[in-house]
Amino acid sequence: MTTKRLVDEQALHQKHYAEICEKLKQDPFAQFLGIKLIELGEGTATAEVTVAEHMLNAHGTAHGAIIFSLADFVFAAACNSYGKTSVALSMNIGFLAAAMKGNRLVATATEEKKNNRTAWYRIRVETEHGLVATLDALAYRKNDYFVEIDENE
């Protein structure tokens, strides 16, 4: 019979903080969109993007895809903040208000509950004018870590 070793994920986050941040900042799609990671905590993340002309829909407001992409990025950052590879299982977004060209969209993800296999997050996307969207997301936490774990962790 094998026993699973528990990993202190808070210690892992703190020890590998710079490496985890750098990996998340290298997300090619987020870079393409101009999304910037502002803050990363244990199970939390904040990022921003400024709505540009090419991000507008036919009505002249921010396309839902840019709002969703920003929310998805902070979700990914928050659920991978412990250095454990995590991927989305489900996401549900509610669009509450329009954002316009030049608006700075800021998204914040907060971990609501986490266990070894899954974690649940709430995400808020806001502009200087108020709440634009909310998103509930469920992550699947894989077995592997993308940072090195030594026997003391």
Side-chain angles (χ1 to χ4, degrees):
M1 179 172 141
T2 60
T3 58
K4 272 197 163 177
R5 182 173 55 90
L6 294 177
V7 174
D8 182 344
E9 291 186 339
Q10 288 180 314
L12 199 63
H13 169 83
Q14 292 167 4
K15 180 178 179 181
H16 296 283
Y17 178 80
E19 181 184 351
I20 294 167
C21 280
E22 191 54 35
K23 179 159 184 77
L24 297 169
K25 287 178 180 178
Q26 295 307 313
D27 182 301
F29 190 61
Q31 287 180 340
F32 172 76
L33 295 173
I35 294 173
K36 293 182 178 31
L37 182 64
I38 299 170
E39 191 175 314
L40 183 69
E42 296 167 15
T44 66
T46 303
E48 68 179 10
V49 68
T50 300
V51 179
E53 182 76 31
H54 67 280
M55 298 173 181
L56 301 179
N57 61 26
H59 303 293
T61 60
H63 198 289
I66 190 67
I67 297 166
F68 184 86
S69 293
L70 177 62
D72 181 49
F73 176 76
V74 292
F75 166 48
C79 67
N80 283 279
S81 65
Y82 301 102
K84 186 171 189 174
T85 303
S86 300
V87 296
L89 277 176
S90 68
M91 302 170 77
N92 183 36
I93 193 166
F95 295 101
L96 308 173
M100 311 305 268
K101 179 181 172 187
N103 284 159
R104 180 176 162 253
L105 293 170
V106 178
T108 303
T110 305
E111 185 176 88
E112 296 292 326
K113 184 156 180 64
K114 158 177 90 74
N115 61 36
N116 185 52
R117 196 49 74 201
T118 59
W120 182 54
Y121 296 82
R122 290 248 163 122
I123 297 99
R124 293 174 58 89
V125 181
E126 301 174 272
T127 69
E128 59 275 18
H129 304 293
L131 188 61
V132 172
T134 61
L135 188 129
D136 290 323
L138 180 64
Y140 176 74
R141 306 180 79 229
K142 298 175 88 172
N143 289 330
D144 61 311
Y145 288 80
F146 58 87
V147 295
E148 187 174 332
I149 300 175
D150 62 36
E151 292 304 312
N152 298 324
E153 295 178 308

